[in-house]
Every structure is written in structure tokens, then in C-alpha cells.
Amino acid sequence: MMRASRFSLYAVLAALAEILAGCEQSANLPMTTLAPKSDLASAIHHLFLEVTAWDAMILLIVIVAFTLAVFVFSTRAGEAAPPSQASSDLKLEIAWTLGPALVILMISIPTVRTIFRSQPEIAPKGALDITVVAHQWWWEFDYPDGHKTANEMHIPTGQPIRLRLESADIIHSFWVPQLGGKRDVVPGQINHLTFMASVPGEYPGQCAEFCGLSHANMRFRVFVQTPDDFAMWQKAELAGPATPPANDRLAVEGAQYFATSPCTTCHTVEGVSKGYIGPNLTHFGSRTTLAAGVLKNDPSEVAAWITDPQKIKPGAYMPGLVLPGPKLNALVAYLESLK
Ligand code: HEC
Ligand SMILES: [Cu+2]
């Protein structure tokens, strides 16, 4: 009997490992928590596996005990009635109190350790501090050297990242499944998220706390880059906005229109306008998406966005502006030139 149950334990664990390995290999599951790409995500993932192993063991014990009770130790027709069950068995009672207590202890030790590990009080040395401001329904990223971007955060591998999470309005939650756990973003309070990314790549994120009409459209992306690539990106961000070359007539015309347009009340383009309601557009042309990951950054989608943002993103706090075709094309050309 002993050998049989040990064999089935191995069989269950092997099957479980297969299933989990299958999930990890699916590159087409971008929101998976089973393919950690940072120290924080790995710690949480290991905790999950550890707890799952204990759970599987308990499940197995229950199944074995149940099977024994039903098929081996039950009373058969014509057999004498079982002895009275009124008296207790002290040893058995101690065993089934201590057993589960031990299992809970084995689960809680790594859990508490991971909780503390995931929330260090102070930033690790050499950490890159980025302030994340959640807005209904987009994300702002402020870098320590002063440049700002939206909906696409770039970070280097191998350097601790310390996010300072702030909200401009209501409660949101910052979540990049492959880089670590969710953390609430609460107005009037600053929460932190600390991790170090290990594998370059593009990782999708999503607001994970219902925050109104376009909550589901409050996505973002994290670009994890090698330190060299990150330094290059950082340098480009720090440079002023690109001024369209004189021979790019369309973009030059768009720049002239933009500078006096209502767009400037809400959007900053460094050296051109100051507005803080919407995303900073200084390097808009170098982003791959817009409107919190909802649209691809190409001229036709940008034009559609400017014309009717609420159609694309219900509730969006940007008014639509219907412009005559040539003017719209010029404005879009200017925005796309802001590399
Ligand atoms: C009343 C303020 C306001 C005005 C005026 C305004 N916008 Fe916006 N804009 C926003 C807000 C808020 C967002 C973010 C919407 C979202 O993603 O939910 C935004 C988003 C954008 C984006 C996407 C940026 C990104 O990286 O996701 C672009 C491009 C943009 N606006 C261009 C314009 C242009 C061009 C005009 C003028 C025709 C304009 N906006 C006028 C508030 C404004
Ligand atoms: Cu939300």
C-alpha cells in the first residue's frame, strides 16, 4: 500500500510539473504569471509552486484516506457492526491537529518571507527611481532626470527599479504579470514596487483595480532593455523635441498649427507647450502605441484618435476635434515626427 501511494504521489507531481512547464513555454500568453522575468516575479512564482506542492500532498492524502475508508475499511453486508465510535483516540487526535498545523506553518513561513521581500522599506542601492502616476485611463512615467513619458516604461536589466506609485484621481492597480505582483495605486498615499528585471523584452501591463468606464483600456507596456539600449533611449528622451526638417512641409505646417491649437492646453511638448491633463507628447513619435496601449502608433490610428477619442476609448478625457483633412494630416505628421 505504502509503495502504491508513494508511486501515485510521484505521478501527480510529475503531471503537475508537465502542466506548469507547458504554461511557461507559451509565448502567446503575455499576461502569464508563470513565466517570471524579474527577481520579484520569481520569488512569487516559487512561493506559488511551493504552496501548490503542499496542496497537492494534502489532496493526495485526502484521496488515499477516502479510498481506504470507502473500499477497504467499510462494513460489508452480513459483517458484524463496527465497534462503537463514541470513544476517542488521543494519539489520532494529536496527529490530526499537529499534521495540519505543520502544513500551515510550512506554507506560512515562505509566504511571510516573500511578503517582506516584496516590500523593502528602503530602496536598494543604485536603484532607478521612477514615479508612476495613474490617471483615468492612462499611465504617466516620470524619470529622475526630469523627462516624462506615457504608457510605455523603459527600464534596464540588472539594475534595481524602485517605482513610486501615485494616483491623480482614484484607486488603480499597477500590474505587469511577468515582472511582479499587483500593487494598488491609492490617491493621497505613496506605494512602492521594487524589483530587478532579468530578461530584455516587451511586457504588457494592465490596471488591475476597476476604475471606471475605460478601466479595461488602461493598459501599458514595459520595455526591458540591456543597459546600453536603455542608455540610448534615455539620451534620446533627454534631448529636446525633434523640430521637423524644413523640407518636411507637412510636419512643419503641423507644428505651426499645434503651437496655437487647443491641444496645448492639455499636452506638454517640451519648449512648445505646457499642459498636464494629458500625456507628455515630447517624444510621442517614438512610442509604439497610444491611448494606453489601445491603438498602434501609426498615422491612421492617430488621426482616428484625434477626431473621436471617446469612440475608441469610452469616457476618455480628451475632446475630439474634427479638422479638415489636410490640417489633420499635417498635425498627425508633426506628432509622428516627435521622435
Ligand atoms: C482637455 C484636455 C485635452 C485636449 C484639449 C487634448 N487632449 Fe490629447 N489627451 C488628453 C488625455 C486626458 C489623454 C489620455 C487619454 C487616455 O488615454 O485615456 C490624451 C491623449 C492624447 C494622445 C495619446 C498619447 C499617448 O501617448 O497615449 C495624443 C496623441 C493626443 N492626446 C493628441 C492631442 C491632440 C493632437 C490634441 C489637439 C487636437 C489634443 N490631444 C487635445 C487630453 C487632451
Ligand atoms: Cu483601472
Side-chain angles (χ1 to χ4, degrees), residues 135-139 149-152 214 217-218 257-258 261-267 276-281 284 287 289-294 297 302 305-307 309 313-321 323 328 331-332 335:
H135 299 256
Q136 277 175 317
W137 291 277
W138 57 282
W139 299 89
T149 184
N151 304 321
E152 296 190 355
S214 265
N217 292 322
M218 191 168 161
Y257 172 69
F258 181 85
S261 72
C263 320
T264 54
T265 51
C266 295
H267 291 287
Y276 301 100
I277 312 267
N280 186 307
L281 298 178
F284 173 74
R287 299 208 272 270
T289 57
L290 66 142
V294 172
N297 189 358
V302 175
W305 172 256
I306 293 171
T307 311
K313 208 167 165 180
Y317 290 115
M318 168 163 154
L321 188 63
L323 291 170
L328 181 61
L331 184 59
V332 171
L335 291 172

Side-chain angles (χ1 to χ4, degrees), residues 20-281:
L20 291 175
C23 298
E24 288 193 24
Q25 276 152 18
S26 322
N28 54 356
L29 290 176
M31 297 300 276
T32 179
T33 53
L34 299 176
K37 302 290 189 324
S38 80
D39 57 347
L40 174 63
S42 295
I44 295 170
H45 181 61
H46 280 129
L47 175 65
F48 165 70
L49 292 182
E50 218 172 316
V51 172
T52 305
W54 283 104
D55 292 350
M57 198 185 78
I58 295 167
L59 180 69
L60 200 76
I61 292 172
V62 170
I63 290 174
V64 169
F66 181 78
T67 313
L68 286 177
V70 170
F71 294 103
V72 182
F73 297 122
S74 60
T75 316
R76 285 173 180 75
E79 265 180 11
S84 153
Q85 298 187 7
S87 65
S88 63
D89 181 331
L90 188 64
K91 269 195 226 143
L92 203 59
E93 289 195 6
I94 293 178
W96 71 43
T97 307
L98 282 187
L102 197 74
V103 170
I104 289 173
L105 192 73
M106 297 311 280
I107 288 176
S108 57
I109 291 175
T111 304
V112 172
R113 198 193 303 133
T114 310
I115 289 173
F116 277 95
R117 202 185 142 175
S118 77
Q119 322 228 23
E121 276 288 303
I122 45 168
K125 244 176 100 187
L128 173 64
D129 286 291
I130 303 170
T131 298
V132 177
V133 189
H135 299 256
Q136 277 175 317
W137 291 277
W138 57 282
W139 299 89
E140 173 184 337
F141 301 108
D142 300 350
Y143 284 73
D145 39 18
H147 64 91
K148 291 174 195 289
T149 184
N151 304 321
E152 296 190 355
M153 181 171 82
H154 289 241
I155 55 170
T157 51
Q159 183 180 355
I161 308 298
R162 175 83 161 171
L163 301 181
R164 189 187 137 94
L165 304 169
E166 290 177 16
S167 170
D169 35 56
I170 61 173
I171 302 179
H172 301 272
S173 181
F174 183 93
W175 186 38
V176 189
Q178 296 188 61
L179 296 179
K182 295 170 189 163
R183 186 118 326 150
D184 273 7
V185 188
V186 181
Q189 176 183 327
I190 289 160
N191 287 345
H192 289 101
L193 194 63
T194 310
F195 62 92
M196 183 149 78
S198 47
V199 186
E202 186 186 323
Y203 304 108
Q206 164 76 52
C207 176
E209 181 72 59
F210 181 69
C211 58
L213 266 189
S214 265
H215 162 64
N217 292 322
M218 191 168 161
R219 300 174 218 159
F220 60 105
R221 259 155 238 258
V222 179
F223 291 85
V224 175
Q225 298 177 297
T226 61
D228 285 348
D229 287 352
F230 175 74
M232 256 161 61
W233 175 80
Q234 179 101 326
K235 203 170 145 208
E237 283 287 300
L238 282 170
T243 8
N247 61 5
D248 188 347
R249 284 270 196 61
L250 203 58
V252 170
E253 194 192 318
Q256 282 160 359
Y257 172 69
F258 181 85
T260 55
S261 72
C263 320
T264 54
T265 51
C266 295
H267 291 287
T268 296
V269 171
E270 222 52 69
V272 178
S273 66
K274 275 190 169 38
Y276 301 100
I277 312 267
N280 186 307
L281 298 178

